[in-house]
Amino acid sequence: MNRDKHSVVSEFVLLGLSNSWEIQIFLFCFSCLFYVSSVMANLIVVVTVTSDPYLHSPLYILLANLSIIDLIFCSIAAPKMICDIFRKQKVISFGGCVAQIFFSHAVGGTEMVLLIAMAFDRYVAICKPLHYLTIMNPRMCILILVAAWAIGLIHSLVQLAFVVNLPFCGPNVLDSFYCDIPQLIKLACTNTYKLEFMVTANSGFISLSAFFLLILSYIFILVILQKHSSGGSSKALSTLSAHITVVVLFFGPLIFFYVWPSPPTHLDKFLAIFDAIFTPFLNPIIYTFRNREMKIAIRRVFGSILFPLKNE
Ligand SMILES: *[C@@H]1O[C@H](CO)[C@@H](O)[C@H](O)[C@H]1NC(C)=O
C-alpha cells in the first residue's frame, strides 16, 4: 500500500529546544556537564563492582547492571542533542529516528524491570533475611537480567511495529530534540487517533503500572519494617528512601509524556532532558555513592583520588 513512503520522508527536522542564544549556551553547558558526569559516575560504579570482590552480592550486581543500562540510555539522544544545539538545521535520518526509538524503549523497558527486581531484592533482604542468599542466588540474578532485557526488547519491537508502517507523506518537522513515538505519529498522513491510543495504552500503561507496583511494594516493605523496627532499620530506611526517590524521578517524566500526551511545551522538553541526562546521573549518586560499603570500595579501587576524606 505505502510502498514508497520512505522516499517521501527520508529525514526529519528537529526543532531542538530553543532559538535563544543565551538558552542555547546554558543548555550546552548544562547538558555537557551532566552527560559527562553521568558517564563517569556510572563507569565508576561498574568498575568498582566488577573489580571489588566484596561487592559481589545481588544488590551490587543489579546496581552495576543498572549503571550499564544508564550508560546506554544517556548515550542514545544526548550526544546528538549536544552536537546539534548550535546548528541552524538539525536533521535526523529516518533510520536514525527509528534507532533512537528502538534503543530508548528497549533500554527504558529493561530499566523498569530492573527497578522492580531491585524492589524485590530489598523485599527479600528485609522481610526474609535468612533466605536472602538462597532466593537471590547467582542464577536468580541472571534470570532477572535475561527477563529484563527480553521484556525491554519485546516492548520496543511492539512499539516499532506500529511506527515503521506509518505513511509519512510530507510533514517532517519534529518539535523536539530527539525522536519518540508521540511526536512522530503526529506527522503520519493518516488518522492516528487509534495509534495514539495504542501508544498511550502501551508505554503509558506499562509505566503507570510499574510505578504503582513499585510504590506499593515499597510501602509494603516500609510497613513491615515499622513492625519489626530494630537497630538495623535506619540503614534499611535510608536505602529504601533512596530507591523510592529514584523510582519517582525515573517514572515522573515518563508518565507525563505518555499518559498525558499534550502539545509539546517547554516543560515537556525540559523534562525530556531531565530524563535523558539527569536521571542516569542521579541513579549512581542516590543508589550507590551514599552507601558506605560502596564508598569504601570506591576508595579501595580508585585509591584516594575520588574520596580523599579519611575514616568515616
Ligand atoms: C550483571 O548481571 C549479571 C547477571 O547476574 C552478572 O553476571 C554481571 O556481572 C552483572 N554486571 C556487572 C557489571 O556487575
Side-chain angles (χ1 to χ4, degrees), residues 135-269:
I135 297 177
M136 293 301 294
N137 55 23
R139 270 188 59 202
M140 184 65 154
C141 289
I142 293 173
L143 195 72
I144 289 173
L145 257 286
V146 172
W149 279 104
I151 292 173
L153 282 177
I154 292 170
H155 159 72
S156 180
L157 288 174
V158 169
Q159 297 284 69
L160 270 192
F162 293 126
V163 174
V164 289
N165 284 320
L166 283 176
F168 292 102
C169 59
N172 70 338
V173 178
L174 285 168
D175 189 9
S176 179
F177 64 92
Y178 66 108
C179 278
D180 200 4
I181 296 177
Q183 298 94 358
L184 195 63
I185 51 182
K186 292 207 177 78
L187 300 179
C189 308
T190 175
N191 186 354
T192 55
Y193 177 76
K194 267 190 196 154
L195 209 69
E196 285 183 44
F197 177 76
M198 290 299 289
V199 169
T200 309
N202 191 330
S203 288
F205 179 75
I206 291 178
S207 28
L208 257 189
S209 40
F211 179 69
F212 282 116
L213 180 68
L214 279 165
I215 292 296
L216 284 179
S217 356
Y218 281 121
I219 290 175
F220 182 72
I221 300 175
L222 283 174
V223 168
I224 292 188
L225 199 62
Q226 279 289 307
K227 278 194 196 139
H228 308 263
S229 74
S230 61
S233 74
S234 80
K235 181 169 174 264
L237 211 59
S238 109
T239 316
L240 285 182
S241 56
H243 284 208
I244 294 170
T245 314
V246 167
V247 165
V248 171
L249 290 177
F250 179 79
F251 284 96
L254 285 190
I255 291 173
F256 187 82
F257 296 144
Y258 294 115
V259 182
W260 288 285
S262 52
T265 60
H266 278 295
L267 178 62
D268 243 24
K269 293 184 183 176

Side-chain angles (χ1 to χ4, degrees), residues 61 77 125 168 268 284 296 312:
I61 286 176
F168 292 102
D268 243 24
I296 294 172
E312 180 206 342

Side-chain angles (χ1 to χ4, degrees), residues 25-219:
I25 291 182
F26 168 75
L27 279 173
F28 183 77
C29 300
F30 178 87
S31 313
C32 278
L33 180 69
F34 279 103
Y35 178 63
V36 173
S37 315
S38 285
V39 171
M40 295 291 291
N42 284 298
L43 272 180
I44 290 172
V45 173
V46 173
V47 172
T48 307
V49 172
T50 38
S51 54
D52 193 315
Y54 294 100
L55 294 183
H56 283 176
S57 77
L59 177 63
Y60 293 108
I61 286 176
L62 292 179
L63 280 173
N65 273 286
L66 189 69
S67 278
I68 293 178
I69 288 172
D70 277 341
L71 274 176
I72 306 174
F73 192 72
C74 69
S75 302
I76 294 172
K80 176 162 171 48
M81 177 194 91
I82 293 172
C83 295
D84 273 355
I85 285 183
F86 296 114
R87 276 202 196 124
K88 281 261 150 18
Q89 182 83 335
K90 316 178 206 316
V91 292
I92 185 165
S93 66
F94 190 89
C97 194
V98 169
Q100 275 195 349
I101 293 176
F102 173 76
F103 284 112
S104 56
H105 280 266
V107 173
T110 309
E111 173 147 1
M112 252 180 229
V113 180
L114 211 54
L115 289 176
I116 294 173
M118 288 170 60
F120 176 71
D121 171 84
R122 287 304 85 199
Y123 164 76
V124 178
I126 289 166
C127 305
K128 307 213 178 314
L130 297 180
H131 301 120
Y132 182 65
L133 286 179
T134 40
I135 297 177
M136 293 301 294
N137 55 23
R139 270 188 59 202
M140 184 65 154
C141 289
I142 293 173
L143 195 72
I144 289 173
L145 257 286
V146 172
W149 279 104
I151 292 173
L153 282 177
I154 292 170
H155 159 72
S156 180
L157 288 174
V158 169
Q159 297 284 69
L160 270 192
F162 293 126
V163 174
V164 289
N165 284 320
L166 283 176
F168 292 102
C169 59
N172 70 338
V173 178
L174 285 168
D175 189 9
S176 179
F177 64 92
Y178 66 108
C179 278
D180 200 4
I181 296 177
Q183 298 94 358
L184 195 63
I185 51 182
K186 292 207 177 78
L187 300 179
C189 308
T190 175
N191 186 354
T192 55
Y193 177 76
K194 267 190 196 154
L195 209 69
E196 285 183 44
F197 177 76
M198 290 299 289
V199 169
T200 309
N202 191 330
S203 288
F205 179 75
I206 291 178
S207 28
L208 257 189
S209 40
F211 179 69
F212 282 116
L213 180 68
L214 279 165
I215 292 296
L216 284 179
S217 356
Y218 281 121
I219 290 175

